[in-house]
């Protein structure tokens, strides 16, 4: 059986929710100074009342919490009880279309059904004394940080209600709030965005004060509907977006003939627009054709912007992401690429910072938007020709060296960097989940961020899917 099939089979359905379960530490020891809360989000199940979801972005969101204290680890996990989740549980069947999964029953059951399920499965952020489960196509959900109970859908006192035309409101009553907000390390303000389809296609941007109150959103007209998953916020508060050229077959999506995922395709040969948004307006620069899910970081250096993106050569075949493969084919990840943007010269240069394939990057959060040196990620050395991203890697953007720790055949997840207070940029720990192929269960690993040495492992009682993104907070 291919490794991806083993992983997907073992993690397709998490049935049990745990509450502050103390996990056995099975290797090494968790340092006492590594004290706080790791929250993660991801799909808890890929099978819904017997019906498999067709795309890994569709599974129902499950937030997990790891409370590290005194060298011990306490684990909780809980599905996000979205409105749609509760309705479907009551009905005992799938009632909503998802991003990549149409309802069973074909054309008749999907025609003109444009209310998609909020999967609440992509990220979790702690800001303004609130824990929010995020999904880029809709509202966040407010989660109790102790119990993980879903408290409410959350719209920042109405800020996320769609105030555009009646037609826009008909299509989307609420504004989307992406799963990649950025917290400015100097001010503590949270910045975010959403891509809004309607009479006009818009990029809507948000700013939230440290105590959690949001300003009214700003709207920026897009040349066309696009797919933006992440952005960069510099210390000087410039927001950088890659407007990548994609085409949506809206007619077939509306008609229920295709899921939104199946309706997207790359527009090869078109330029990527780089938008730099700040208080004075929007500047546009042009780069070659590519697609980007995630950015590692970006910062200003005089009249130059340096943006480190995980660049894909082409728009990925979304329908095939995470699907079982024929045998163990070799994964194709993204390349960490530095875009050097001359703001006065309107030039854009690209340079690869590592030859590794990678995804789900992480940096020392204190360096977000500032000059920095290190990126950690899931990775694969192309020379090893391994089927998945089996390595945890550290890229030194200054020397262009890449350090790696190979877990093959096991699979690590996003390595979240937890800095050591007062330490150097790469001093601290990486917290990552690891799916053990032999035991078919998941462990939480703490690694030395500088050397990638594994210093402690705690065993979960089940196979928790690796999920997408997480956050760390020392205190609640
Ligand atoms: Fe993401």
């Amino acid at each position: 059986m291919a490794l991806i099939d083993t992983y997907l089979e073992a993690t397709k359905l998490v049935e049990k929710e745990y509450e502050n379960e103390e996990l056995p530490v099975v290797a090494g020891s968790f340092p006492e100074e590594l004290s706080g809360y790791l929250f993660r989000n991801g799909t808890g199940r890929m099978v819904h009342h017997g019906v498999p979801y067709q795309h890994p972005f569709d599974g129902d969101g499950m937030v997990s919490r790891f409370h590290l204290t005194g060298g011990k680890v306490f684990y909780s996990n809980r599905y996000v009880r979205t409105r749609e989740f509760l309705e479907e549980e009551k009905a005992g069947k799938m009632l909503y279309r998802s991003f990549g999964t149409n309802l069973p029953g074909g054309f008749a059951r999907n025609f003109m059904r444009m209310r998609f399920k909020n999967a609440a499965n992509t990220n979790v952020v702690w800001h303004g004394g609130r824990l929010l489960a995020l999904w880029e196509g809709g509202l966040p959900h407010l989660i109790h940080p102790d119990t993980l109970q879903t408290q409410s859908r959350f719209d920042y006192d109405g800020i996320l209600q769609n105030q555009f035309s009646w037609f826009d409101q008909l299509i989307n009553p609420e504004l989307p709030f992406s799963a990649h907000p950025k917290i400015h390390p100097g001010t503590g303000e949270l910045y975010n965005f959403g891509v809004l389809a309607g009479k006009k296609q818009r990029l809507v941007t948000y700013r939230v004060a440290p105590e959690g109150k949001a300003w009214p959103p700003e709207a920026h007209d897009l040349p066309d509907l696009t797919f933006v998953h992440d952005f960069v916020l510099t210390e000087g508060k410039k927001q950088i977006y890659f407007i990548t050229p994609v085409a949506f077959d809206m007619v077939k999506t509306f008609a229920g003939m295709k899921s939104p995922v199946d309706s997207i395709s790359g527009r090869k040969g078109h330029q990527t627009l780089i938008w730099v948004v700040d208080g004075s307006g929007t500047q546009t620069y042009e780069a070659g054709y590519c697609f980007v899910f995630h950015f590692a970081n970006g910062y200003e250096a005089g009249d130059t912007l340096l943006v480190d993106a995980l660049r894909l050569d082409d728009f990925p075949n979304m329908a095939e992401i995470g699907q079982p493969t024929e045998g163990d084919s070799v994964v194709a990840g993204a390349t960490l690429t530095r875009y050097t943007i001359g703001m006065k010269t309107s030039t854009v240069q690209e340079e690869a910072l590592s030859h590794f394939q990678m995804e789900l990057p992480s940096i020392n959060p204190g360096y977000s938007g500032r000059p920095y040196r290190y990126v950690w990620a899931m990775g694969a050395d192309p020379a090893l020709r391994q089927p998945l991203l089996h390595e945890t890697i550290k890229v030194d953007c200054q020397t262009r060296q890449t350090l790696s720790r190979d877990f093959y055949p096991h699979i690590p997840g996003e390595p979240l960097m937890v800095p050591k207070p007062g330490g150097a940029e790469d001093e601290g720990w990486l917290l990552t989940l690891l799916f053990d192929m032999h035991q078919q269960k998941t462990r939480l690993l703490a690694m030395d961020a500088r050397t990638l040495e594994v210093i402690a492992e705690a065993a979960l009682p089940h196979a928790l899917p690796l999920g997408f993104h997480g956050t760390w907070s020392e205190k609640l």
Side-chain angles (χ1 to χ4, degrees):
M1 194 185 238
L3 294 179
I4 184 69
D5 297 335
T6 303
Y7 169 73
L8 291 173
E9 181 60 28
T11 59
K12 69 182 181 186
L13 176 62
V14 176
E15 291 184 282
K16 187 159 180 183
E17 295 178 321
Y18 290 86
E19 266 184 69
N20 280 318
E21 179 90 358
E22 184 175 350
L23 301 184
V25 176
V26 294
S29 57
F30 287 86
E32 297 219 358
E33 56 190 325
L34 179 56
S35 177
Y37 302 85
L38 169 69
F39 294 99
R40 292 198 55 78
N41 201 353
T43 57
R45 62 180 179 189
M46 286 302 294
V47 176
H48 188 290
H49 293 94
V51 178
Y53 284 111
Q54 300 298 316
H55 197 276
F57 295 174
D58 292 343
D60 298 282
M62 169 176 281
V63 173
S64 51
R65 181 181 107 139
F66 299 86
H67 180 199
L68 278 64
T69 177
K72 295 181 174 181
V73 182
F74 297 89
Y75 167 66
S76 307
N77 66 308
R78 194 169 170 82
Y79 281 97
V80 183
R81 265 63 169 184
T82 65
R83 190 168 62 188
E84 297 88 352
F85 180 96
L86 292 170
E87 280 179 40
E88 290 183 331
E89 285 305 290
K90 200 172 171 188
K93 62 179 181 182
M94 196 182 281
L95 299 174
Y96 288 88
R97 294 174 80 188
S98 297
F99 183 59
T101 307
N102 274 345
L103 287 168
F107 174 72
R109 286 206 66 212
N110 293 281
F111 180 70
M112 292 302 284
R113 276 181 178 262
M114 292 304 285
R115 288 284 174 270
F116 294 91
K117 179 174 189 167
N118 183 329
N121 65 6
T122 318
N123 201 352
V124 60
V125 65
W126 173 253
H127 183 256
R130 299 187 185 103
L131 187 69
L132 298 175
L134 304 172
W135 180 70
E136 68 193 0
L139 290 187
H141 284 77
L142 186 64
I143 305 293
H144 194 289
D146 292 329
T147 63
L148 299 185
Q149 285 179 331
T150 307
Q151 295 179 297
S152 66
R153 304 166 82 242
F154 188 73
D155 69 359
Y156 284 103
D157 293 327
I159 290 291
L160 297 182
Q161 296 301 319
N162 193 337
Q163 303 289 339
F164 297 107
S165 74
W166 67 268
F167 181 75
D168 292 290
Q169 291 175 27
L170 184 69
I171 296 175
N172 284 301
E174 294 150 346
L175 301 178
F177 193 77
S178 107
H180 283 285
K182 298 286 178 288
I183 297 173
H184 191 283
T187 67
E189 290 173 321
L190 178 145
Y191 288 72
N192 203 6
F193 73 95
V195 174
L196 182 65
K199 194 174 172 188
K200 285 181 178 176
Q201 318 308 333
R202 297 179 172 98
L203 182 85
V204 185
T205 58
Y206 312 103
R207 185 159 68 102
V208 183
E211 64 276 14
K213 188 165 171 51
W215 279 270
E218 289 181 14
H220 311 267
D221 291 350
L222 286 162
D224 212 339
L225 197 56
T226 184
F227 187 141
V228 183
H229 180 72
D230 191 7
F231 76 117
V232 165
L233 175 71
T234 68
E235 189 171 23
K237 300 178 184 172
K238 291 188 188 302
Q239 300 164 54
I240 302 162
Y241 298 93
F242 276 30
I243 311 297
T244 48
V246 298
F248 276 84
D249 190 338
M250 291 300 283
V251 173
K252 286 190 174 162
T253 300
F254 265 98
M257 295 160 72
K258 284 185 170 183
S259 72
V261 160
D262 293 332
S263 306
I264 311 172
S265 56
R267 298 170 73 200
K268 219 166 184 171
H270 287 70
Q271 295 291 97
T272 298
L273 302 181
I274 300 176
W275 274 14
V276 179
V277 179
D278 62 15
S280 62
T282 302
Q283 278 75 48
T284 303
Y285 305 92
E286 288 190 352
Y289 177 78
C290 70
F291 186 76
V292 170
F293 278 114
H294 297 115
F295 296 95
N297 200 8
Y299 59 94
E300 296 167 53
D303 294 328
T304 303
L305 281 172
L306 293 100
V307 179
D308 295 341
L310 270 69
R311 181 191 181 281
L312 293 162
D313 290 337
D314 196 358
F315 187 77
N317 185 333
M318 298 290 278
E320 287 181 1
I321 291 178
Q323 290 297 307
T325 53
E326 291 291 322
D328 279 336
S329 56
V330 177
V331 72
T335 304
L336 182 63
T337 303
R338 173 156 292 177
Y339 286 78
T340 303
I341 303 164
M343 289 188 283
K344 285 207 167 149
T345 54
S346 284
T347 52
V348 178
Q349 291 172 323
E350 302 174 27
E351 178 200 3
L353 297 177
S354 170
H355 70 282
F356 276 64
Q357 307 272 285
M358 65 185 87
E359 256 307 341
L360 304 190
S362 174
I363 60 165
N364 181 324
Y367 290 76
S368 182
R370 295 171 167 167
Y372 82 118
R373 185 167 169 181
Y374 300 106
V375 177
W376 293 267
M378 297 161 56
D381 182 346
L384 296 180
R385 298 196 58 73
Q386 292 177 347
L388 301 167
L389 298 173
H390 291 283
E391 295 168 71
T392 298
I393 64 169
K394 175 191 181 190
V395 181
D396 183 333
C397 299
Q398 192 171 307
T399 63
R400 312 293 201 254
Q401 298 290 310
T402 302
L403 182 68
S404 80
R405 178 154 298 272
D406 187 3
F407 290 105
Y408 182 88
H410 314 304
I411 318 173
E414 175 190 62
L416 200 76
M417 200 280 177
V418 178
K420 195 170 185 173
E425 183 185 338
D426 64 344
E427 240 182 302
W429 303 273
L430 300 180
L431 290 176
T432 185
L433 295 178
L434 183 85
F435 178 76
D436 186 307
M437 272 299 158
H438 302 317
Q439 297 179 6
Q440 298 192 15
K441 285 188 179 171
T442 306
R443 297 197 293 277
L444 174 72
L445 269 55
M447 304 168 74
D448 183 320
R450 179 166 280 176
T451 63
L452 303 186
E453 179 195 357
V454 177
I455 56 174
E457 300 185 35
L460 275 72
H462 56 186
L464 180 72
L466 296 170
F468 299 114
H469 302 292
T471 192
W472 168 263
S473 182
E474 273 182 24
K475 290 183 186 143
L476 298 179

